Amino acid sequence: MDSFEALVGKNIHDVVLDESETFFVAPVEYFYKNCGKRYPASKFKLSDLDYFNFIGFSELFKYESVLIIWHDSTGIITDLEFYYLSNDFDVLFKDYWYIKKAIDNGEAHKLREGDTTYLGASRLPEKVAQPNSDRLADRRELVLKKKYLQKILDEMGFKCR
């Protein structure tokens, strides 16, 4: 990975974003609206969701921290932030458990992102089999929701430009 200081001002597509042994890297685009307040442009994908081989919480969050590389719509990196996910493990685990329980009960087809707070099971446009049910469910991926990324942005203090 490029040195941290050298990343600011570069285009996100021109840098190497290797995973570290102690944190994972999350490039996140943001935009401005409402008197210059920053908002995340999208959710951040953590993992594909396999209904028959559900990833463990400790594997999904194998690192306590994330290096968030904030970039604008042109791809220019403007800020870097280490965020300690471990501060929110209680909420993330509650969300994880809710998703896992729905899948174990054969109700993956009923999952909605609005059912959870920070960790979401985002729908993809494909139907697949699910355990303990004859009903097909949307294929999904586990994501950090925009609401959670907004919480991190707000904690960083980026209110107006």
Side-chain angles (χ1 to χ4, degrees):
M1 178 176 347
D2 292 329
S3 71
F4 295 141
E5 300 81 22
L7 290 175
V8 175
K10 287 190 174 183
N11 190 295
I12 191 73
H13 305 293
D14 296 337
V15 297
V16 177
L17 301 173
D18 295 330
E19 194 169 279
S20 165
E21 293 181 16
T22 57
F23 60 87
F24 70 92
V25 178
V28 178
E29 181 182 336
Y30 67 87
F31 64 94
Y32 288 102
K33 73 177 189 180
N34 298 342
C35 92
K37 185 174 178 181
R38 285 189 189 185
Y39 291 88
S42 63
K43 47 199 159 201
F44 180 75
K45 177 184 172 182
L46 292 171
S47 173
D48 288 323
L49 199 159
D50 180 347
Y51 293 132
F52 293 94
N53 189 19
F54 197 74
I55 188 169
F57 184 81
S58 59
E59 180 63 22
L60 185 62
F61 294 104
K62 60 186 168 188
Y63 307 120
E64 289 187 26
S65 60
V66 56
L67 172 62
I68 302 174
I69 301 177
W70 298 102
H71 63 91
D72 61 20
S73 61
T74 66
I76 301 301
I77 298 170
T78 59
D79 302 286
L80 305 171
E81 174 76 9
F82 266 108
Y83 188 80
Y84 291 91
L85 297 169
S86 55
N87 295 336
D88 301 314
F89 273 174
D90 55 340
V91 177
L92 290 166
F93 186 75
K94 182 179 174 187
D95 292 346
Y96 171 88
W97 191 251
Y98 182 89
I99 294 166
K100 182 174 180 359
K101 183 177 166 191
I103 292 167
D104 290 346
N105 291 337
E107 297 178 342
H109 59 281
K110 293 182 180 179
L111 281 172
R112 296 177 309 124
E113 274 190 74
D115 295 337
T116 55
T117 307
Y118 295 157
L119 178 67
S122 181
R123 292 175 192 237
L124 298 171
E126 179 185 348
K127 299 283 188 182
V128 295
Q130 64 173 313
N132 303 317
S133 176
D134 294 332
R135 188 164 179 181
L136 294 178
D138 291 312
R139 194 166 67 83
R140 297 175 186 268
E141 57 189 14
L142 293 171
V143 298
L144 295 179
K145 294 169 65 168
K146 286 173 68 172
K147 175 182 177 178
Y148 187 48
L149 297 173
Q150 185 64 54
K151 172 189 178 286
I152 295 169
L153 262 174
D154 291 345
E155 288 180 10
M156 290 173 59
F158 295 124
K159 302 277 189 228
C160 294
R161 56 177 168 168

